[in-house]
């Protein structure tokens, strides 16, 4: 093992030295250098595409650097795989889904380590389930058990499975990549408590988040990246949101982050839920969305708001009641919803909104067949290319070309593609479920501006969000849900406050 020339490894437990990563002509990291002390929570922040997740994935053994070196506890760090990294003390919770659906929670936790429970040629599932349950119990995770099928879990619970898997390895370095965006308040508090417990025992936490307030609350130091370059480090006494934004973006972020207009929308009801009941979550639920309105929907993670979004779009079966449009059309399928110029942006974009192994163009044009026809049923490849290029340009999607694979893009650029897909077909009603999940401050501001412009042009938007500032900043009216029903309805003219919303949730 190659050794760092240092008398005190604790002050630079992790040392990143001139690390670069190239994907063809794209430079994801450009000679990045910094150190991370032992036993601290170190924030890593930057706009989408800044290189933070790429660097984290190199540390976690997911990929190799192109050049440069990384040292861990004084020894050169170059794991050949994720499993090797885990065995040597580095565990990572990835930004997107890191579980396999068609196996149990226990099998996900011990994936690749099944021989720990072997008895001759057989695997003792009973012992595996018991060991996994002990980990879940220690973490105080009670919303599922070790035998639960992972396919039945929502996004938050699958993230909790990943956390449990990471804890099995008793890591020296715990990397959390944009995990809190998938967690409810309770899930976040569980993770925060775990991070404090780990650092008290000497574990170093690398915490990646776009939530600047969260970073300042949870981190001891913060490293800032921009366009693959290391920009600088902030100590606890230097934390300041404006300073961080300027370092991330390279300029002052000017203009109003949210829209601050008084309540204003038309009388016409464009979408109505009349006593709708679903298999889970919703019972005799009523809702009206008006023309030109941003209607915010909030609540705790299990309140039914995510099911509501799917039911309104025809993606969740309505057992009783109905969803209707202004012209009386009943929405009972996604095909009918799209035909009536409705759009749905899922919270889980990688599973439900994007084809990751397809190109940017293929995703953007996927619902725009009528617009890009040549003649009859035949499509014009030229029209499709021009159509995709326009969305890429209008939304400033960072990609090499319209033929770039979506799976290789950052979270913010993926979300822009989802926006582009629906905006391009001029949708009139947009159901947005956590539309700014996992995007940076600059992209978030651009999305808010876009939502406000759509509102002003007469589009109607149902904004489902777990972020109270987002609901308060963007909504004309807010409905808080609890146990599948409406707990409170508040208009902007009555005054929004986090205190009111939280009281309605609990």
């Amino acid at each position: 093992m190659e050794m760092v020339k240092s008398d005190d490894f604790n002050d630079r437990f992790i040392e990143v030295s001139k690390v670069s990563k190239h994907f063809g002509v794209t430079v994801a990291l450009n000679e990045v250098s910094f150190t991370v002390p032992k036993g601290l929570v170190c924030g890593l922040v930057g706009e989408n595409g800044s290189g933070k997740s790429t660097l984290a994935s190199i540390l976690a053994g997911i990929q190799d650097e192109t050049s440069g070196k990384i040292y861990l506890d004084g020894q050169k760090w170059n794991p050949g795989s994720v499993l090797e990294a885990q065995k040597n003390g580095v565990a990572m919770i990835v930004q997107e889904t890191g579980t396999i659906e068609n196996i149990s929670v226990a099998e996900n936790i011990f994936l690749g380590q099944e021989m720990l429970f072997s008895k001759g040629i057989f695997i003792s599932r009973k012992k595996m389930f018991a060991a996994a349950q002990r980990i879940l119990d220690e973490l105080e995770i009670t919303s599922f058990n070790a035998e639960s099928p992972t396919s039945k879990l929502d996004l938050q619970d699958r993230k909790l499975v990943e956390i449990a898997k990471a804890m099995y390895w008793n890591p020296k370095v715990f990397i959390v990549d944009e995990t809190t965006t998938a967690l409810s308040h309770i899930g976040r508090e569980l993770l925060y408590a775990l991070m404090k417990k780990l650092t008290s025992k000497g574990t170093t936490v690398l915490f990646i988040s776009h939530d600047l307030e969260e970073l300042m609350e949870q981190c001891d130091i913060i490293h800032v990246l921009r366009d693959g370059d290391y920009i600088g480090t902030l100590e606890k006494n230097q934390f300041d949101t404006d300073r961080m934004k300027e370092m991330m973006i390279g300029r002052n972020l000017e203009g109003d982050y949210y829209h601050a207009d008084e309540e204003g929308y038309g009388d016409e009801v464009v979408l109505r839920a009349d006593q709708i009941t679903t298999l889970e979550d919703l019972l005799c639920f009523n809702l009206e969305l008006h023309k030109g309105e941003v209607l915010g929907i909030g609540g705790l993670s299990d309140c039914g708001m995510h099911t509501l979004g799917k039911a309104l779009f025809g993606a969740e079966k309505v057992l009783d009641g109905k969803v209707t449009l202004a012209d009386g059309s009943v929405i009972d399928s996604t095909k009918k919803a799209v035909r009536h110029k409705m759009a749905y942006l899922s919270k889980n974009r990688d599973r439900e909104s994007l084809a990751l192994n397809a190109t940017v163009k293929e995703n953007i044009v996927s619902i725009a067949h009528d617009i890009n026809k040549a003649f009859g049923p035949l499509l014009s490849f030229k029209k499709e290319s021009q159509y995709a290029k326009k969305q890429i340009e209008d939304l400033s999607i960072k990609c090499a070309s319209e033929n770039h694979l979506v799976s290789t893009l950052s979270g913010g650029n993926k979300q822009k593609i989802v926006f582009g897909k629906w905006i391009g077909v001029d949708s009139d009603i947009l159901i947005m479920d956590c539309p700014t999940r996992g995007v940076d401050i600059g992209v978030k501001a651009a999305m808010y501006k876009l939502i406000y412009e759509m509102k002003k042009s007469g589009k109607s938007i149902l904004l489902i969000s777990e972020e109270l500032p987002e609901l308060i900043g963007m909504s004309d009216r807010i409905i808080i849900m609890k146990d599948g029903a409406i707990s409170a309805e508040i208009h902007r003219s009555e005054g929004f406050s986090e205190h009111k919303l939280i009281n309605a949730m609990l």
Side-chain angles (χ1 to χ4, degrees):
M1 288 286 191
E2 185 176 341
M3 301 295 291
V4 181
K5 295 178 181 178
S6 173
D7 295 326
D8 187 359
F9 297 134
N10 285 346
D11 287 340
R12 43 184 183 152
F13 184 67
I14 301 172
E15 181 164 353
V16 178
S17 179
K18 294 186 176 181
V19 169
S20 294
K21 179 65 179 179
H22 299 167
F23 295 98
V25 296
T26 303
V27 179
L29 293 169
N30 181 33
E31 295 195 346
V32 170
S33 298
F34 61 76
T35 61
V36 181
K38 185 175 183 179
L40 296 183
V41 179
C42 172
L44 197 57
V45 68
E47 288 193 282
N48 291 109
S50 63
K52 55 192 185 299
S53 292
T54 300
L55 181 58
S57 67
I58 293 171
L59 275 164
I62 296 172
Q63 57 186 335
D64 293 324
E65 65 273 22
T66 302
S67 62
K69 296 176 182 177
I70 297 176
Y71 298 92
L72 178 63
D73 202 12
Q75 296 183 330
K76 190 167 185 290
W77 179 251
N78 188 26
S81 66
V82 173
L83 188 58
E84 184 181 338
Q86 290 171 335
K87 286 180 176 179
N88 287 280
V90 177
M92 178 177 175
I93 312 299
V94 297
Q95 182 176 355
E96 303 300 343
T97 305
T99 54
I100 296 174
E101 286 199 350
N102 58 349
I103 58 178
S104 69
V105 167
E107 289 167 317
N108 264 291
I109 291 174
F110 293 110
L111 190 65
Q113 297 296 298
E114 295 84 358
M115 295 309 293
L116 291 169
F117 308 99
S118 64
K119 191 174 182 180
I121 61 172
F122 299 102
I123 303 295
S124 173
R125 292 168 61 84
K126 184 177 179 181
K127 287 182 179 179
M128 181 189 291
F129 289 151
Q133 191 60 51
R134 283 195 294 272
I135 298 173
L136 297 177
D137 291 343
E138 186 175 340
L139 292 171
E140 299 182 6
I141 296 172
T142 59
S143 53
F144 55 87
N145 61 46
E147 298 185 35
S148 299
T150 308
S151 60
K152 300 293 185 182
L153 305 186
D154 61 17
L155 183 59
Q156 165 169 274
D157 284 341
R158 289 199 299 274
K159 282 296 170 192
L160 295 179
V161 173
E162 293 178 52
I163 291 171
K165 181 176 181 178
M167 289 307 99
Y168 164 72
W169 296 100
N170 192 25
K172 295 184 291 186
V173 177
F174 180 40
I175 305 172
V176 183
D177 187 2
E178 285 296 340
T179 298
T180 54
T181 57
L183 300 177
S184 66
H185 176 74
I186 294 172
R188 291 183 188 196
E189 291 302 317
L190 184 151
L191 178 59
Y192 298 153
L194 176 61
M195 287 162 54
K196 285 184 173 64
K197 182 179 178 181
L198 290 172
T199 53
S200 71
K201 295 181 178 180
T203 297
T204 298
V205 177
L206 195 63
F207 188 49
I208 301 173
S209 175
H210 287 303
D211 188 328
L212 304 189
E213 296 294 336
E214 178 181 57
L215 283 166
M216 291 192 294
E217 286 176 10
Q218 303 300 325
C219 297
D220 300 298
I221 59 172
I222 295 174
H223 293 312
V224 183
L225 299 180
R226 183 172 72 234
D227 295 330
D229 293 320
Y230 167 73
I231 301 302
T233 298
L234 297 174
E235 303 286 343
K236 192 80 171 178
N237 61 359
Q238 299 172 311
F239 288 177
D240 176 80
T241 53
D242 290 336
R243 184 174 183 180
M244 231 182 295
K245 289 175 188 176
E246 189 170 352
M247 291 173 72
M248 288 168 56
I249 302 170
R251 64 187 188 281
N252 288 320
L253 190 62
E254 298 176 349
D256 195 2
Y257 196 55
Y258 302 111
H259 89 73
D261 282 7
E262 287 299 316
E263 173 188 351
Y265 50 85
D267 293 329
E268 180 187 355
V269 175
V270 297
L271 177 68
R272 178 181 280 109
D274 184 16
Q275 297 283 307
I276 63 171
T277 296
T278 59
L279 184 62
E280 294 180 351
D281 298 328
L282 302 180
L283 179 63
C284 299
F285 192 91
N286 294 308
L287 174 143
E288 290 183 345
L289 175 66
H290 297 82
K291 183 176 178 62
E293 179 184 21
V294 178
L295 174 57
I297 306 289
L300 300 178
S301 63
D302 57 353
C303 70
M305 59 184 177
H306 305 300
T307 301
L308 173 64
K310 291 181 179 181
L312 294 175
F313 189 66
E316 179 82 16
K317 185 174 178 59
V318 174
L319 303 177
D320 195 16
K322 59 184 178 180
V323 177
T324 57
L325 301 179
D327 63 0
S329 300
V330 177
I331 300 301
D332 52 14
S333 70
T334 56
K335 187 175 181 180
K336 190 178 286 187
V338 173
R339 193 164 65 241
H340 285 85
K341 302 186 77 172
M342 291 179 65
Y344 174 66
L345 285 72
S346 171
K347 175 183 178 181
N348 192 346
R349 61 173 172 256
D350 279 15
R351 291 181 65 206
E352 298 176 355
S353 291
L354 292 171
L356 293 180
N357 292 324
T359 65
V360 174
K361 182 182 79 173
E362 288 167 336
N363 274 275
I364 289 176
V365 305
S366 61
I367 57 170
H369 301 310
D370 290 342
I371 296 173
N372 294 309
K373 281 183 179 178
F375 53 87
L378 299 178
L379 294 173
S380 165
F381 295 118
K382 182 179 179 181
K383 281 186 178 180
E384 284 191 327
S385 180
Q386 291 173 340
Y387 177 87
K389 284 178 179 177
K390 184 178 187 307
Q391 298 306 318
I392 291 168
E393 182 179 345
D394 288 352
L395 294 170
S396 300
I397 299 170
K398 293 180 181 177
C399 57
S401 72
E402 72 269 25
N403 296 314
H404 198 123
L405 278 181
V406 169
S407 59
T408 64
L409 298 179
S410 66
N413 285 301
K414 287 178 182 176
Q415 194 68 337
K416 285 181 179 181
I417 291 168
V418 177
F419 266 73
K421 180 170 75 172
W422 293 111
I423 292 169
V425 294
D426 195 30
S427 302
D428 289 328
I429 299 171
L430 297 99
I431 300 167
M432 300 182 175
D433 194 346
C434 300
T436 62
R437 184 179 78 84
V439 303
D440 64 61
I441 195 84
V443 173
K444 188 174 284 191
M447 287 181 176
Y448 290 151
K449 182 180 179 183
L450 185 58
I451 290 170
Y452 188 39
E453 287 173 350
M454 288 191 290
K455 167 193 161 57
K456 289 195 295 182
S457 70
K459 309 296 185 185
S460 304
I461 296 157
L462 192 84
L463 176 63
I464 302 167
S465 179
E466 295 167 353
E467 305 293 334
L468 297 186
E470 183 169 82
L471 286 173
I472 291 170
M474 293 304 299
S475 306
D476 296 303
R477 182 166 54 106
I478 296 175
I479 288 175
I480 296 298
M481 293 179 62
K482 182 179 179 181
D483 299 328
I486 295 176
S487 173
E489 180 178 335
I490 308 167
H491 294 252
R492 178 171 287 277
S493 59
E494 299 168 5
F496 294 149
S497 74
E498 291 196 12
H499 181 71
K500 279 185 184 179
L501 301 186
I502 291 170
N503 280 345
M505 291 177 187
L506 301 177

